[in-house]
Amino acid sequence: MKALTFLARRFVAGTDPKDAVWAGERLAERGIKATFDKLGEDVLDRAAALRASEAAKELLRLVPGHIERNISIKMSSMGQEISREFCLENTAGILDVARETGGFVRLDMEGSRLTQDTIGIFRELRERYDNVGLVLQAALHRTPTDVEEAVARGDRVRLCKGAYREPPEVALQDMAAIREAFRSCAHRLLEAGNYPAIASHDESLIRDTIEHARARGVEASRFEFQMLYGLRRRRWGELVAAGYNVRVYVPYGTHWLPYFYRRLRERKENVLVVLKNLFGG
Ligand code: FDA
């Protein structure tokens, strides 16, 4: 377990919110923004969900003013699977603190059994708050429709491929098709969306975004790239130097195993990166 904890440090900023803020400070020094995430998901106990929302509020208050107070949260950690109303109010409490502190809250997207409900919760919150955004997964068959709805409503979207294993009825399975779907959704969001976040380490998608934005006259200030802590660190600086907004997803906390597992599963090279790190490469 100790060795695993050591390996996870590549992808996780630490166990304490102060570790995450420290990482955020280092990023800010390089002109890179952050979104902070207290790791945790699939909470089935009300007290634990309340603790998760208190932790999110504490984090918003802890982030110093010169760093954007931007956090990411998972609805399943806020009690989504206990009761929708409970989750909604728990999350609204976080959005109240975000409003007080000038912060922004992104609702991460989880497995497809939660997609519709997460979007529903987002829509309800969006009627009361403008400091909340959602995530759409390019791999899902439903996503082009969700993108259209988000564009029509002016919602802030983070577009990613999707990290959860889904059946063929729900999601594309082939990487070429997922990339194609990603490009098509990204183009739509770049042209008509509200400050979309293009979240990928995939160089072909990063380049396509840059080229499409240039060709359509979309200024660099109208969107941002997002990447995960520990992945493609050099690329973050290159993009900033080229005038793009870059935000890094900074996870912290002790409940890192599912997150760490998803990172290893999605790319063999991530396992190699971890091993290289372990042996001092
Ligand atoms: P992927 O891992 O598919 O790699 C494709 C190619 O990219 C590689 O072949 C290589 O060319 C290049 N590449 C990747 N890593 C590299 C590296 N380290 N160095 C050099 N080249 C590299 N998912 C989800 O379901 N819900 C969510 O809410 C989120 N949130 C989220 C936030 C942010 C900020 C990010 C970046 C991602 C997510 N995701 C997510 C995860 C996302 O859905 C997806 O699983 C991962 O980003 C992996 O897909 P990529 O497109 O990044 O590249």
Side-chain angles (χ1 to χ4, degrees):
M1 196 63 183
K2 255 195 182 150
L4 255 186
T5 309
F6 176 73
L7 296 178
R9 281 305 297 256
R10 168 82 195 192
F11 300 102
V12 176
T15 51
D16 195 83
K18 290 195 183 105
D19 298 328
V21 171
W22 188 87
E25 298 263 16
R26 303 291 79 73
L27 290 167
E29 285 164 8
R30 298 171 58 196
I32 299 163
K33 303 167 199 293
T35 181
F36 302 99
D37 168 42
K38 166 120 190 320
L39 292 164
E41 51 200 273
D42 298 331
V43 168
L44 295 173
D45 154 23
R46 275 176 191 260
L50 288 171
R51 279 198 302 277
S53 79
E54 285 311 310
K57 292 176 198 166
E58 182 199 333
L59 182 61
L60 281 165
R61 294 193 180 106
L62 191 70
V63 177
H66 62 280
I67 301 184
E68 275 180 34
R69 297 187 173 101
N70 187 307
I71 66 168
S72 293
I73 59 174
K74 288 189 172 48
M75 289 300 89
S76 78
S77 75
M78 297 299 151
Q80 182 176 25
E81 291 166 287
I82 302 167
S83 141
R84 187 179 189 280
E85 285 318 299
F86 170 68
C87 174
L88 197 73
E89 285 320 303
N90 218 6
T91 308
I94 299 171
L95 289 170
D96 285 332
V97 175
R99 191 180 264 164
E100 277 161 43
T101 55
F104 181 82
V105 180
R106 178 83 60 180
L107 308 191
D108 282 346
M109 191 57 82
E110 303 176 70
S112 62
R113 74 191 155 78
L114 300 177
T115 309
Q116 186 55 47
D117 193 46
T118 302
I119 292 179
I121 289 172
F122 169 77
R123 296 249 166 276
E124 270 194 65
L125 290 169
R126 184 75 171 84
E127 280 171 20
R128 290 153 61 188
Y129 302 92
D130 56 10
N131 56 354
V132 61
L134 89 160
V135 177
L136 296 176
Q137 299 156 323
L140 299 197
H141 300 312
R142 58 174 290 160
T143 295
T145 310
D146 292 330
V147 165
E148 284 312 319
E149 195 169 352
V151 163
R153 292 169 182 257
D155 296 334
R156 267 177 69 174
V157 173
R158 172 200 296 154
L159 180 69
C160 64
K161 283 180 186 162
Y164 298 81
R165 213 186 273 282
E166 302 289 358
E169 311 82 76
V170 171
L172 299 164
Q173 307 290 311
D174 167 61
M175 188 50 87
I178 296 172
R179 281 200 177 104
E180 187 46 45
F182 190 110
R183 277 192 288 273
S184 157
C185 293
H187 292 178
R188 184 74 181 120
L189 289 167
L190 286 167
E191 285 169 32
N194 177 8
Y195 193 68
I198 307 300
S200 177
H201 312 98
D202 192 324
E203 193 55 33
S204 70
L205 298 178
I206 294 170
R207 279 171 198 262
D208 182 78
T209 299
I210 292 173
E211 279 160 25
H212 191 81
R214 253 191 221 139
R216 297 302 163 104
V218 179
E219 285 168 24
S221 59
R222 285 185 37 210
F223 64 96
E224 70 182 25
F225 288 107
Q226 292 192 355
M227 297 195 210
L228 301 176
Y229 185 78
L231 290 174
R232 308 213 63 191
R233 285 185 282 208
R234 204 175 309 140
R235 194 69 177 113
W236 309 340
E238 289 168 3
L239 287 167
V240 167
Y244 295 100
N245 292 310
V246 176
R247 188 179 306 278
V248 168
Y249 189 101
V250 180
Y252 75 94
T254 50
H255 194 75
W256 47 262
L257 201 56
Y259 178 85
F260 181 58
Y261 174 69
R262 283 196 291 278
R263 300 293 78 81
L264 296 190
R265 196 170 60 84
E266 67 204 4
R267 250 190 114 227
K268 270 197 285 323
E269 288 87 336
N270 287 347
V271 180
L272 296 178
V273 162
V274 158
L275 291 176
K276 225 169 90 186
N277 219 34
L278 182 63
F279 296 111

